[in-house]
Amino acid sequence: MRGKLHINGEWHSFHADPATPLHRVLREQIGLTGAKDVCGEGFCGACLVEVEGEPVAACLLPVALAECTQIVTIEGLYHDPVGRRVMAALEAEDAVQCGMCFPGMVMTLTHLLKTDPTTDREKVKHALVGNICRCTGYERIVSTACRAAKAMAEADVREETA
Amino acid sequence: MIPAEALEQQTDFHHPVTVQEAVRLLAKLGTNAIVFAGGTWLMRAPAPSRHYVSLGRVAALRQLVITPETVRIGAAVTHDKLAAELQGLPGLEGLAVAAKRAANPAIRRRATVGGNLCTKEFPAADLVPALLAAEAMVKVVTPEGQANQSLLAYLDWRREAAAQNHLLVSVEVPQRAGRLLAHARLTLRRAGDYPVALISLSARPDAKNQLADVVVAVGAVEDQARRWPGLEQRLTGATADKAFAVKMAQELVADFRGREGPEVPDWYRLHVLPELLGRAMAQLQERLANGGRAA
């Protein structure tokens, strides 16, 4: 099939079988390689992209069902104020890990901070259940997410009282 | 790996907007058709040359209606939505736990209740034992008409030739006064992988505070989830007590034949089953002590 995807605010054409997983079209035809091709079973979170505002495993989403949706990949998350805040916090805390699992972790944490900003480590860990790190660990990332949530809450209070 | 553009049009997606249209399509396409709900199982190994009948545009299948007597769950309701909607319903906390703890957040946003019940190749679906213990009924539509049947009967029926082109439309869970439902799952990691074993336990306290209407359902241990009638009998009339439940389960665990899997050997699933039952009973005990609610 030939179709169009709306990704990071722009339209892109693709040509693939309708059942092709979205992440393969992103990587092979559109040149967006931030979503990784890893487990192919929705377990590891390396291919997470935002579809209609929610992180989904792109390896489990057929491209035919991604048409007419708003897709944001890690490459587009920089234009999202909360996404930018998460990335800055991870960099400032030296919590950035390799590029295999990390884009997915940023997608998850951005969604968490938007929907349920929390300083509760258990909640952050539950949110990261579907993001598998194969080489380093999670503790620093969890701490950074909690600090970012606290900073966001404080910024909100400052804005309200200004 | 075959490049994506080389896979041109081996499959077709169809997008019905009503249940009737979906059933007509399934009948017309016959054995080439496959129902596509959340896709979290099918996309692990997409079949070539198939017609997928996508349920994403059938609004009726996404409805969830709660009345004092029942909870009617549309087949395309996701785990995420189910967990959110059941929040605070004291009798069905175990079902909420099953929906909330299955797989991982991204899967729960897409995986549907119907998909969990229809995927006969997946033995470790959390919702199946939870809904068995809740004594759920399912509504199915075929080209010949519609029918309601117990989930217990449906799990066998779905394997028959007559079920070839059926569409599971909804699941109806009774809400019975005083009845509580607990769900315990064991994974190798703390979360996020396929469960080694699942136990759902429902019961109500009778006038003497002894367990009545006991239902125990076990998932992931064998190829298909099923009830544990021998244990149900032993627990009926007993008080909610973890140690007693574990002892009974140890005595009866040979009722099951463990499933050999890549993650654990067959014997291990049986080995952990009594303790898992104990955890479910502990949840029940806690809720009974708390007037029906989790602490």
Side-chain angles (χ1 to χ4, degrees), chain A residues 1-15:
Chain A
M1 74 179 282
R2 289 179 189 278
K4 284 189 170 185
L5 296 170
H6 194 260
I7 309 165
N8 303 332
E10 292 176 0
W11 287 100
H12 296 268
S13 300
F14 70 91
H15 182 199

Side-chain angles (χ1 to χ4, degrees), chain B residues 23-72:
Chain B
V23 173
R24 272 199 302 274
L25 263 168
L26 288 169
K28 185 178 145 198
L29 297 168
T31 52
N32 284 323
I34 189 158
V35 175
F36 192 102
T40 52
W41 182 262
L42 291 176
M43 285 298 288
R44 299 161 79 246
S49 306
R50 295 300 287 264
H51 288 272
Y52 289 109
V53 176
S54 169
L55 303 181
R57 295 181 193 169
V58 186
L61 298 179
R62 292 196 300 274
Q63 290 176 353
L64 193 152
V65 181
I66 300 175
T67 69
E69 294 80 31
T70 62
V71 177
R72 196 172 66 245

Side-chain angles (χ1 to χ4, degrees), chain A residues 75-143:
Chain A
E75 290 89 347
L77 211 58
Y78 189 74
H79 301 292
D80 180 311
V82 177
R84 209 161 47 235
R85 197 183 274 262
V86 169
M87 290 185 216
L90 290 163
E91 192 182 348
E93 299 287 341
D94 198 17
V96 177
Q97 296 178 181
C98 87
M100 186 60 83
C101 69
F102 214 65
M105 297 229 186
V106 175
M107 299 301 297
T108 294
L109 293 178
T110 300
H111 184 255
L112 178 70
L113 260 65
K114 279 182 184 174
T115 55
D116 185 18
T118 178
T119 53
D120 181 338
R121 295 182 69 85
E122 278 305 300
K123 276 192 177 178
V124 176
K125 286 180 182 177
H126 273 295
L128 284 169
V129 151
N131 292 90
I132 312 293
C133 164
R134 292 159 180 82
C135 42
T136 309
Y138 303 90
E139 290 303 314
R140 214 162 182 169
I141 295 168
V142 173
S143 299

Side-chain angles (χ1 to χ4, degrees), chain B residues 79 82-83 86-87 92-103 108 126-127 130 181-185 199 283 287 294:
Chain B
H79 283 60
L82 181 62
L86 293 181
Q87 187 107 30
L92 295 175
E93 275 170 333
L95 184 55
V97 167
K100 197 175 175 177
R101 290 285 174 254
R108 291 195 294 266
D126 276 76
L127 293 184
L181 174 61
H183 182 74
R185 63 198 311 269
I199 282 210
Q283 290 175 31
R287 281 175 212 160

Side-chain angles (χ1 to χ4, degrees), chain B residues 202-287:
Chain B
S202 81
R204 66 171 175 84
D206 65 11
K208 295 179 190 163
N209 225 20
Q210 293 168 335
L211 296 177
D213 298 334
V214 179
V215 181
V216 182
V218 175
V221 171
E222 296 182 336
D223 287 337
Q224 180 170 301
R226 68 175 172 92
R227 283 174 63 166
W228 195 347
L231 187 61
E232 290 172 5
Q233 226 168 17
R234 295 267 187 107
L235 295 178
T236 298
T239 51
D241 178 71
K242 180 181 172 180
F244 177 76
V246 171
K247 187 168 179 287
M248 291 302 106
Q250 281 167 340
E251 287 179 17
L252 296 171
V253 78
D255 291 353
F256 288 86
R257 297 185 61 148
R259 174 175 59 90
E260 189 74 28
E263 71 279 33
V264 292
D266 49 3
W267 62 265
Y268 185 76
R269 296 183 204 276
L270 302 185
H271 182 71
V272 299
L273 207 48
E275 173 56 27
L276 201 60
L277 188 267
R279 290 182 192 180
M281 184 59 83
Q283 290 175 31
L284 217 62
Q285 255 177 285
E286 182 192 283
R287 281 175 212 160

